[in-house]
């Protein structure tokens, strides 16, 4: 959905009861991009690749802060928050920030955090809730996030990092449903066969059934931070006309309750551009609609996800390494629009490799799920993560479909609102991540490889005579 909130050497391992009462425009509209600073009309020139290698003792700090303004234009069902995780190795710092907002990115905020807190890199991940407070509070958001990053930076502790994945029955379905003409239409468009919003809960695919967890522990083995990575649109209570963090807010709350007050849980979306929850609340037609949103839906989805994340996080622990190695490479790619060839996209991505095991691919915009599935399979790393809706610089590219989805069409795949990025950009982005992981691992050579051959012993082929057949041997 899109109205916007604008506001970063591996060894190859062996690894609806109630339908819409009116036409929903642009699926479910949330309140919009929150802009802290408008981007330049023309895209910035592509930045040179910046490969960084940090090695040493890992320090970590976390913080959580309320992003809900006191006087919102809508009632508040549940608060939205920002959560920060700062990692430091050898005096160099990286910040992960997750926000319960629709789409959030801010050049000014990133620059301010880098200057104030000595960050080398900062990535902003939006949960993509469709029920955030809106774009009228950009200064408030920025002030609050600045405080959270500051608090995390000031309360660092010696830490260890580990990660895992767990597959479980899917919570979402692929909302671009193939129809009789071979093209896809979004799930809120009914026909003679399929009902609007998939009330039958048909598990259309593809989807990624895995939840990923990155866990930060202190040296006593106590969990202090969890990054929960899952691909499913946060629009379970879309068109509720109230503030809500949707199911990611519930899931984070339950994870934090399970591990105690010293743990902060960051939710990071995966490639959820075309993935919808199987459990949703029926949509309201407006704030005066007497029908009320069913918030049990986000409680249920949040509970199911948190249960899997908690179970997973308890199943592994970090190795007692004295040193942590973090490598990352910033890169940028240029694209045009699919239909508007005058539109320029300057897409910046960050590829990370931690302890030669945890590979992270950040993707701004709303990537489609096939891109995530393919990359996780190809990269061959023990713990691969796709951080969708995650920005640190450059253009927010809106939806990023894979080529097959772009051909089949539907919302986010070939409908030019918002402006579509050129066909094939998703594969190009993920292939660049693939290349960069191999560069970070030391596998991708920067110069031609060795040539020639090493001779071995010479040999002569000698036929072995076939024994003559006899009556007795027959």
């Amino acid at each position: 959905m899109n109205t916007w909130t604008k506001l970063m050497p591996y060894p190859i391992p062996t690894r609806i009861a109630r339908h819409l009462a009116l036409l929903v425009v642009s699926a479910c509209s949330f309140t919009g991009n929150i802009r802290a600073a408008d981007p330049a009309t023309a895209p910035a020139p592509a930045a040179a690749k910046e490969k960084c290698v940090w090695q040493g003792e890992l320090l970590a700090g976390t913080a959580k802060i309320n992003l809900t303004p006191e006087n919102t234009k809508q009632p508040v069902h549940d608060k939205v928050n920002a959560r920060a995780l700062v990692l430091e190795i050898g005096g160099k710092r990286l910040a992960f920030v997750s926000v319960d907002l629709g789409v959030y990115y801010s050049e000014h905020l990133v620059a301010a955090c880098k200057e104030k807190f000595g960050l080398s890199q900062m990535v902003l991940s939006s949960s993509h809730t469709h029920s955030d407070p809106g774009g009228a509070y950009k200064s408030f958001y920025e002030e609050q996030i600045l405080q959270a990053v500051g608090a995390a930076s000031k309360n660092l502790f010696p830490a260890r990092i580990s990660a895992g994945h767990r597959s479980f029955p899917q919570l979402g379905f692929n909302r671009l449903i193939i129809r009789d003409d071979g093209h896809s239409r979004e799930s809120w468009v009914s026909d003679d066969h399929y009902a609007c919003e998939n009330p039958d809960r048909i598990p259309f695919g593809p989807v990624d059934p895995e939840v990923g967890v990155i866990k930060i522990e202190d040296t006593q083995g106590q969990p202090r931070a969890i990054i929960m990575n899952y691909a499913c649109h946060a629009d379970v209570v879309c068109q509720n006309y109230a503030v809500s963090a949707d199911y990611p807010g519930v899931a984070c709350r339950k994870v934090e309750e399970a591990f105690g007050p010293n743990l902060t849980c960051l939710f990071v979306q995966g490639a959820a551009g075309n993935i919808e929850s199987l459990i949703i609340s029926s949509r309201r037609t407006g704030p005066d609609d007497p029908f009320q949103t069913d918030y049990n839906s986000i409680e249920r989805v949040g509970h199911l996800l948190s249960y899997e994340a908690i179970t997973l996080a308890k199943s592994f622990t970090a190795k007692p390494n004295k040193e942590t190695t973090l490598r990352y490479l910033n890169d940028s790619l240029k694209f045009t629009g699919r239909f508007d060839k005058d539109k320029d996209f300057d897409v910046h991505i960050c590829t990370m490799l931690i302890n030669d095991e945890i590979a992270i691919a950040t993707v701004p915009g709303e990537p489609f799920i096939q891109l995530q599935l393919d990359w996780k399979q190809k990269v061959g790393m023990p713990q691969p993560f796709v951080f969708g809706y995650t920005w640190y610089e450059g253009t927010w590219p809106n939806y990023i479909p894979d080529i097959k989805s772009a051909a089949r069409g539907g919302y986010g795949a070939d409908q030019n609102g918002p402006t579509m990025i050129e066909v094939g950009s998703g594969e190009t982005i993920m292939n660049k991540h693939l290349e960069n992981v191999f560069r970070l691992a030391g596998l991708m050579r920067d110069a031609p490889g060795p040539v020639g051959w090493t001779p071995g012993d010479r040999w002569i082929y000698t036929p072995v005579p076939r024994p003559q057949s006899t009556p007795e041997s027959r």
Side-chain angles (χ1 to χ4, degrees):
M1 314 286 155
N2 290 293
T3 50
W4 298 117
T5 304
K6 171 182 177 181
L7 273 100
M8 183 185 346
Y10 100 84
I12 304 281
T14 53
R15 164 183 190 278
I16 203 160
R18 176 182 168 98
H19 299 322
L20 297 176
L22 86 167
L23 177 64
V24 179
V25 179
S26 295
C28 298
S29 295
F30 58 87
T31 48
N33 266 4
I34 300 166
R35 306 190 173 203
D38 290 328
T41 302
K49 290 184 179 181
E50 177 191 347
K51 179 178 177 180
C52 300
V53 180
W54 304 349
Q55 188 167 17
E57 181 186 17
L58 175 65
L59 302 178
T62 69
K64 172 183 174 181
I65 198 165
N66 182 16
L67 283 185
T68 314
E70 290 186 4
N71 300 307
T72 62
K73 296 178 181 180
Q74 303 179 87
V76 177
H77 176 268
D78 56 283
K79 294 180 179 180
V80 294
N81 297 284
R83 294 170 171 90
L85 169 63
V86 173
L87 302 181
E88 179 179 310
I89 300 175
K92 298 178 180 179
R93 294 179 176 178
L94 161 69
F96 296 95
V97 178
S98 70
V99 293
D100 296 328
L101 297 174
V103 171
Y104 180 85
Y105 53 104
S106 169
E107 295 94 338
H108 183 265
L109 174 64
V110 169
C113 287
K114 286 183 175 182
E115 180 181 358
K116 288 179 177 290
F117 311 121
L119 302 179
S120 298
Q121 176 69 312
M122 175 175 170
V123 295
L124 292 167
S125 299
S126 302
S127 72
H128 200 48
T129 175
H130 288 47
S131 306
D132 67 25
Y137 310 100
K138 56 189 179 183
S139 297
F140 173 74
Y141 296 147
E142 187 169 298
E143 291 169 2
Q144 294 296 96
I145 296 170
L146 199 65
Q147 286 187 45
V149 176
S153 300
K154 293 176 182 178
N155 295 284
L156 299 174
F157 55 88
R160 301 180 301 191
I161 188 169
S162 55
H165 285 79
R166 177 181 173 90
S167 182
F168 65 102
Q170 66 192 75
L171 297 178
F173 71 99
N174 195 306
R175 68 188 190 183
L176 294 185
I177 301 167
I178 301 174
R179 310 303 172 107
D180 290 342
D181 65 355
H183 284 94
S184 298
R185 286 305 305 272
E186 47 275 19
S187 59
W188 53 91
V189 175
S190 60
D191 58 21
D192 292 340
H193 187 50
Y194 297 118
C196 176
E197 293 288 11
N198 192 23
D200 303 307
R201 297 179 182 172
I202 302 171
F204 297 104
V207 299
D208 189 340
E210 286 190 330
V211 60
V213 163
I214 298 176
K215 183 169 66 172
I216 302 294
E217 300 170 89
D218 60 27
T219 52
Q220 286 73 49
Q222 295 301 310
R224 299 291 297 276
I226 282 176
I227 297 178
M228 175 172 48
N229 181 219
Y230 189 69
C232 183
H233 248 69
D235 63 347
V236 173
V237 292
C238 175
Q239 287 189 270
N240 59 327
Y241 298 94
V243 174
S244 173
D246 210 279
Y247 82 85
V250 174
C252 287
R253 168 170 54 83
K254 289 181 176 289
V255 171
E256 290 169 347
E257 290 171 350
F259 287 99
N262 292 326
L263 180 130
T264 303
C265 179
L266 292 76
F267 176 83
V268 177
Q269 273 285 7
N274 55 339
I275 305 301
E276 187 93 3
S277 174
L278 284 164
I279 302 172
I280 66 169
S281 170
S282 293
R283 311 318 195 188
R284 301 177 71 199
T285 62
D288 297 325
D289 187 345
F291 178 82
Q292 295 300 304
T293 296
D294 181 7
Y295 288 100
N296 289 321
S297 56
I298 62 172
E299 289 292 329
R300 186 59 180 157
V301 177
H303 167 76
L304 291 169
L305 178 58
S306 65
Y307 175 87
E308 301 295 339
I310 293 165
T311 303
L312 172 60
K314 290 180 176 180
S315 71
F316 63 87
T317 189
K319 299 175 184 177
N321 296 334
K322 293 183 179 180
E323 289 192 339
T324 296
T325 301
L326 187 155
R327 300 174 172 88
Y328 74 88
L329 197 158
N330 290 337
D331 215 330
S332 64
L333 298 162
K334 298 281 192 176
F335 302 101
T336 63
R338 174 176 178 177
F339 304 111
D340 181 358
K341 301 304 181 182
D342 293 327
K343 177 69 175 178
D344 292 314
F345 293 86
D346 179 28
V347 179
H348 288 244
I349 59 174
C350 179
T351 314
M352 305 181 194
L353 183 60
I354 304 174
N355 287 342
D356 299 330
E357 292 186 351
I358 305 170
I360 300 173
T362 74
V363 185
E366 302 190 52
F368 276 30
I369 197 64
Q370 193 64 53
L371 300 170
Q372 173 170 313
L373 293 169
D374 290 347
W375 186 79
K376 288 172 66 176
Q377 186 274 326
K378 290 177 181 178
V379 74
M381 297 298 295
Q383 305 299 338
F385 293 82
V386 174
F387 283 10
Y389 303 76
T390 299
W391 177 97
Y392 73 92
E393 186 179 348
T395 306
W396 183 268
N398 306 316
Y399 284 99
I400 309 176
D402 59 278
I403 295 174
K404 189 173 184 179
S405 295
R408 291 198 180 277
Y411 189 75
D414 71 349
Q415 298 176 9
N416 203 35
T419 302
M420 295 297 305
I421 198 167
E422 68 180 82
V423 174
S425 57
E427 283 80 0
T428 298
I429 290 168
M430 300 315 295
N431 282 339
K432 180 56 68 173
H433 273 303
L434 190 65
E435 174 190 339
N436 288 347
V437 167
F438 296 149
R439 290 192 183 281
L440 292 173
L443 185 66
M444 183 73 72
R445 292 189 176 101
D446 294 323
V451 297
W453 62 289
T454 302
D457 294 336
R458 291 188 288 183
W459 62 88
I460 297 174
Y461 173 70
T462 303
V464 177
R466 182 186 297 274
Q468 294 294 323
S469 174
T470 63
E472 291 78 8
S473 64
R474 291 185 185 132

